């Protein structure tokens, strides 16, 4: 149904030039102070897009985001104590 998306953290040196990163995927966030961008793109075109991003003169480093691989379902073996503190 939905295409698999991969997130990348792109470290850059020129903020004005980094605003043009939306050509390579969905630009989610730009940090002016720390000079990085969060970019999401389709998994099937990600390898080619990262090669093209590396060639840009203002890109310093590209890191893959592992957000979709982090476990988000938590289990708790501790009993819930909130019912004891009710009125």
């Amino acid at each position: 149904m939905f295409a698999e998306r991969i997130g990348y953290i792109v470290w850059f040196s020129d903020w004005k030039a980094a605003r043009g990163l939306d050509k390579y995927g969905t630009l989610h966030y730009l940090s002016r102070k720390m000079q990085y961008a969060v970019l999401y793109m389709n998994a099937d075109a990600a390898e080619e897009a990262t090669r093209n991003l590396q060639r840009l003169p203002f890109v310093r480093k590209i890191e893959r985001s592992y957000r979709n691989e982090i476990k988000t379902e938590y289990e708790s073996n501790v009993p819930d104590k909130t019912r004891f503190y009710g009125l």
Side-chain angles (χ1 to χ4, degrees), residues 25-45:
T26 304
L27 189 60
H28 181 70
Y29 181 73
L30 271 171
S31 173
R32 189 176 218 162
K33 183 178 180 182
M34 294 182 62
Q35 294 188 340
Y36 75 92
V38 179
L39 187 68
Y40 287 96
M41 58 187 77
N42 290 337
D44 54 351

Side-chain angles (χ1 to χ4, degrees), residues 46-63:
E47 187 176 328
E48 182 182 345
T50 54
R51 271 190 264 121
N52 291 337
L53 281 170
Q54 284 286 1
R55 293 181 185 145
L56 297 174
F58 60 90
V59 173
R60 288 187 286 157
K61 183 170 65 168
I62 300 175
E63 296 177 3

Side-chain angles (χ1 to χ4, degrees), residues 70-75:
I70 296 174
K71 181 181 166 187
T72 57
E73 297 174 3
Y74 305 106
E75 297 176 2

